[in-house]
Amino acid sequence: MTSIGRLSLKRDDRRIIIHFDYDCFYAAVFEKEDPKLRSLPLAVQQKQIIVTCNYEARRHGLYKLQRVSEARKRCPEAIIVLGEDLTRFRNASKENYNFLRRFAWSDKVFVDVTDMVDYNLEMINHNSLQSSFFHLSPYDPTVGFEFDCNKIPGHTFPNISASSPVPHRYSGGLLLNSDQGSLFLRLVLGSHLAQYLRHHLEEHQGYSSTVGISTSKLISKLVGNINKPRGQTTLLPPYYSIDTDESNVTRFLDDHDVGRIPGIGFKSAQKIRDYVLRRPAAFDAGLVYGGTKESVTVKDVRLFPSMDHDLLEKILGSSGAPKGIGMKIWGLVNGVDDSEVSKAREIPQQISIEDSYIRLDTMAEVEKELRLLSKSLLSRIRVDLSCFGDNDQPLAEELSGENNQTIGAHSKRQWLACPRTLRLTTRSRPPMNPDGPRSRNFNRISRSCDMPFLILNLGRSVEELSERLVHETLIPLFHKLHPEKSDWNLSLMNLCATNMSLTAASARNGAGRDISKMFKTQEYVLKEWRVDDIDMAPAVNDEAALDKRGVKTVDVEQIALTEGLCGDRQENGWQSLTDEGQEHADAWQSDEEVSKFDYTCTMCGLAMPHFAIAAHERFHELED
């Protein structure tokens, strides 16, 4: 990296971020439903492709993006299940998210545990690192787990036992003589928390995961891929070096192909490869677009002559490219990523369903596929945008069966948000070239319209609403998108519900808040601060009740003598006093009891409320 490039990039390693990658997630969902599948070769099919398979199937030669026909030949005993309906996978993902978000900010795969790590950093006893305790709550010191701070669980990059220079490691204690040494200890704390969460996720949710720990989303995601499955890897300091370009971040990233870096898309990676190679890079051919046959690594890009953010801006910049893309990509190839871990939205910004096709060129086929897409879209809208009004039962439970289920009158549900816009997107397949192969086409065209109100009818089945949506809205929209009656061949169609409008049942910025739901749920929401006062004020002359409650009654004359309430007059006293004093007695009085004249002066016999006692006593003193 040049001196200019070094000055233009600034690392921020104050965060500790954990990345969770669920092992063979689609297959794991089926295995959780049927545990017998865990010991068998299992693959999940979408269209004619194996989208994922468990590790038992991989030992038999199956792999991702493999043709189903080839997979059956390679392993005839493999169990191949259809996974085109994503409902079960989305529900499982939400369950895992709800589990992880109890500990820190999470967007389903990334967890920012900076606050928790910083708190425990202050609580560590450096004289007894082997008997450390990780606090999971700042309010309850008993909630947490014991761990040995002298060890890093899982794997590290580079290996901590190797002879590679890791400047801050344990040697009878931790060396904290620099920022990188402090970062080392914070990463140790993060790795122990990651192990705790990983084990609890598998124990309570039934999903194993592979975890990466670092200071950014970019590095934590990539470093977690080293040790799969059921592994975790921590990238150790130094993360930067002032005197040289060497750091564990660049050492780790340099061997990665530029197209494998999160944040660098297919088109951007291809432009970078073409520039570095001075010619177009060759690609694998086949049903599924393959990877490049010629790898251009991060190191090739980073050390390319005159390469910096300005040159990348020229390479990648175009009319549709975002502003500052050169600086963004330059930061990624140098391991700098400041993107935040944001809390996942309760209400999605949009809900999208799409499918790809080998050939789609007749109106009958288009109508059939639009019907399937609309069913999936309406089902997802009901699951993600509506809830029970009287109880918090998940709508997904009722919609887990057939799509034509209706919403019964007994289930009072309401919309959290309503989509205002419906968008239809298509992508055409280009014709064959004269020399044989077909050119790639990534261009999509779209048309939008107002979302019809019929989708909000919870009393109708999804199948019925889907038929109306296709004939009344989608087919006319398709004709506007493709006015020609033929000569089109589609490779993709997408339906999207967007432009969400929050309703009264949702957040504060919705179109009016549902105050009835607030009153129905306030007992549960405020239970943490509720005080149950079950004691009743004792009767004035009921000594038996006072004795039963443990309240001692005393002689008023004795009170006057010992407390000096009436000066020299021992006969001056007030009823209903206890040994806890008048202030405590007043606290038992209700508003109704205060309004009664239950107190009688022993000198003049006048009845009065309790708050007039002191003034009346001074009246008698003035008379003397």
Side-chain angles (χ1 to χ4, degrees):
M1 185 191 306
T2 64
S3 59
I4 297 178
R6 184 183 296 112
L7 292 175
S8 63
L9 295 175
K10 294 182 179 179
R11 295 197 58 84
D12 184 4
D13 294 320
R14 293 174 294 180
R15 301 179 299 169
I16 300 296
I17 295 177
I18 303 173
H19 175 260
F20 285 84
D21 183 6
Y22 306 121
D23 298 325
C24 311
F25 180 61
Y26 282 13
V29 173
F30 285 102
E31 289 176 347
K32 184 178 180 180
E33 296 176 358
D34 185 2
K36 297 179 182 178
L37 296 175
R38 292 176 179 171
S39 59
L40 302 174
L42 173 67
V44 180
Q45 170 186 354
Q46 290 180 357
K47 298 297 182 181
Q48 299 301 315
I49 300 298
I50 300 296
V51 293
T52 190
C53 55
N54 62 8
Y55 284 93
E56 183 64 28
R58 297 183 189 188
R59 282 190 283 269
H60 286 75
L62 273 61
Y63 54 88
K64 291 183 180 179
L65 302 184
Q66 185 181 29
R67 291 175 180 268
V68 173
S69 57
E70 181 184 348
R72 294 190 185 278
K73 292 179 181 179
R74 185 71 62 88
C75 182
E77 65 273 19
I79 300 175
I80 301 179
V81 294
L82 192 62
E84 295 185 2
D85 183 4
L86 303 181
T87 302
R88 52 165 48 91
F89 310 128
R90 293 191 180 101
N91 293 339
S93 179
K94 289 180 181 179
E95 292 176 0
N96 291 343
Y97 164 70
N98 291 331
F99 175 83
L100 291 175
R101 73 173 180 176
R102 296 183 299 171
F103 299 93
W105 294 110
S106 170
D107 66 354
K108 297 187 180 181
V109 290
F110 293 99
V111 182
D112 189 337
V113 296
T114 304
D115 292 341
M116 193 176 294
V117 166
D118 289 344
Y119 176 83
N120 282 273
L121 184 64
E122 299 178 357
M123 304 297 292
I124 282 183
N125 181 3
H126 294 273
N127 297 320
S128 182
L129 292 173
Q130 69 277 7
S131 301
S132 300
F133 186 84
F134 198 103
H135 299 271
L136 295 175
S137 170
Y139 309 108
D140 189 348
T142 65
V143 177
F145 58 92
E146 296 180 353
F147 70 102
D148 185 356
C149 201
N150 280 314
K151 299 179 180 179
I152 301 180
H155 306 271
T156 62
F157 181 92
N159 194 326
I160 196 171
S161 62
S163 58
S164 56
V166 180
H168 302 286
R169 63 179 62 186
Y170 294 105
S171 180
L174 192 65
L175 302 176
L176 298 175
N177 54 2
S178 72
D179 292 340
Q180 295 294 288
S182 176
L183 174 60
F184 189 99
L185 180 54
R186 297 173 68 244
L187 289 168
V188 171
L189 293 172
S191 65
H192 280 282
L193 177 60
Q195 178 178 253
Y196 176 85
L197 296 179
R198 183 166 58 87
H199 289 170
H200 275 66
L201 182 67
E202 184 170 1
E203 178 182 356
H204 297 286
Q205 300 297 115
Y207 297 100
S208 63
S209 59
T210 302
V211 173
I213 305 99
S214 186
T215 60
S216 68
K217 296 171 68 173
L218 168 69
I219 303 300
S220 62
K221 177 177 176 62
L222 289 177
V223 78
N225 293 333
I226 298 178
N227 298 282
K228 286 188 174 185
R230 285 189 173 89
Q232 69 176 61
T233 309
T234 306
L235 185 69
L236 300 179
Y239 276 21
Y240 64 87
S241 176
I242 298 177
D243 300 328
T244 66
D245 291 339
E246 288 298 324
S247 75
N248 285 342
V249 173
T250 55
R251 290 176 58 193
F252 171 69
L253 287 177
D254 276 351
D255 292 335
H256 288 76
D257 183 86
V258 66
R260 302 287 295 177
I261 302 300
I264 302 181
F266 176 84
K267 291 183 179 180
S268 297
Q270 179 64 5
K271 290 180 180 180
I272 295 174
R273 291 190 188 100
D274 293 348
Y275 188 87
V276 173
L277 295 175
R278 302 298 187 184
R279 54 179 173 77
F283 282 84
D284 291 328
L287 178 65
V288 180
Y289 292 149
T292 177
K293 293 181 178 179
E294 299 173 283
S295 177
V296 174
T297 66
V298 170
K299 186 176 182 179
D300 296 333
V301 177
R302 189 171 58 85
L303 301 182
F304 190 82
S306 302
M307 182 63 71
D308 60 8
H309 58 88
D310 289 330
L311 181 55
L312 285 171
E313 190 76 34
K314 295 178 181 179
I315 298 173
L316 304 174
S318 63
S319 58
K323 185 178 180 180
I325 187 174
M327 178 60 75
K328 174 188 175 182
I329 302 300
W330 183 240
L332 292 177
V333 297
N334 285 279
V336 177
D337 174 28
D338 295 330
S339 58
E340 296 183 356
V341 177
S342 57
K343 188 176 182 180
R345 295 175 179 268
E346 296 294 335
I347 302 298
Q349 290 183 308
Q350 65 179 28
I351 299 176
S352 177
I353 300 291
E354 75 176 29
D355 206 347
S356 57
Y357 312 97
I358 299 299
R359 187 176 185 85
L360 189 63
D361 56 0
T362 66
M363 198 61 213
E365 294 175 344
V366 169
E367 182 176 340
K368 176 183 176 182
E369 295 303 325
L370 285 176
R371 189 177 294 109
L372 295 175
L373 292 175
S374 61
K375 287 181 182 179
S376 298
L377 181 67
L378 293 177
S379 297
R380 278 202 58 199
I381 287 176
R382 287 188 171 184
V383 171
D384 293 345
L385 301 184
S386 68
C387 71
F388 283 81
D390 293 336
N391 49 56
D392 293 326
Q393 299 176 11
L395 181 60
E397 292 181 0
E398 183 170 347
L399 296 181
S400 59
E402 297 296 330
N403 285 335
N404 62 352
Q405 287 188 2
T406 59
I407 308 301
H410 65 281
S411 52
K412 301 178 181 179
R413 279 189 289 273
Q414 55 191 2
W415 290 101
L416 299 174
C418 300
R420 301 173 60 183
T421 303
L422 176 64
R423 185 175 69 235
L424 172 63
T425 303
T426 63
R427 185 182 67 198
S428 298
R429 187 180 302 279
M432 298 290 291
N433 294 329
D435 57 352
R438 193 188 304 270
S439 301
R440 296 187 181 213
N441 179 27
F442 300 97
N443 297 325
R444 301 186 180 193
I445 55 176
S446 303
R447 288 296 293 265
S448 300
C449 66
D450 293 335
M451 179 69 75
F453 288 104
L454 64 91
I455 70 160
L456 302 180
N457 190 344
L458 294 174
R460 299 294 183 180
S461 68
V462 169
E463 188 174 38
E464 179 182 351
L465 296 180
S466 173
E467 288 290 335
R468 291 188 57 188
L469 185 65
V470 168
H471 291 283
E472 298 176 14
T473 305
L474 292 178
I475 290 181
L477 195 61
F478 180 84
H479 287 315
K480 292 180 180 180
L481 198 59
H482 296 278
E484 65 277 5
K485 295 184 178 180
S486 60
D487 297 332
W488 38 260
N489 180 17
L490 303 182
S491 62
L492 178 143
M493 283 202 304
N494 175 287
L495 287 183
C496 179
T498 184
N499 194 12
M500 301 298 179
S501 176
L502 302 182
T503 65
S506 187
R508 293 184 178 181
N509 55 346
R513 302 184 68 194
D514 188 354
I515 194 172
S516 64
K517 184 176 182 180
M518 180 186 73
F519 283 116
K520 292 176 182 179
T521 60
Q522 68 175 352
E523 182 177 356
Y524 172 78
V525 174
L526 300 177
K527 67 179 181 179
E528 183 178 352
W529 297 277
R530 183 177 61 201
V531 176
D532 295 325
D533 190 357
I534 60 175
D535 294 318
M536 301 295 293
V540 175
N541 297 319
D542 192 354
E543 295 188 5
L546 292 174
D547 292 339
K548 184 178 181 180
R549 294 169 57 87
V551 180
K552 178 182 179 181
T553 57
V554 297
D555 185 78
V556 293
E557 295 185 359
Q558 183 64 28
I559 293 178
L561 285 173
T562 57
E563 302 294 338
L565 295 178
C566 299
D568 296 334
R569 287 188 297 278
Q570 301 178 8
E571 71 279 11
N572 189 7
W574 305 96
Q575 298 177 2
S576 76
L577 288 177
T578 68
D579 59 346
E580 298 183 14
Q582 179 64 43
E583 181 179 356
H584 180 76
D586 293 345
W588 287 100
Q589 306 303 319
S590 66
D591 293 339
E592 182 179 358
E593 292 171 333
V594 168
S595 64
K596 295 179 180 180
F597 295 167
D598 290 336
Y599 296 91
T600 304
C601 178
T602 56
M603 297 182 62
C604 63
L606 180 66
M608 67 191 72
H610 74 285
F611 59 81
I613 296 175
H616 188 75
E617 180 182 0
R618 289 195 295 271
F619 170 76
H620 284 297
E621 291 177 352
L622 293 176
E623 285 183 335
D624 295 340

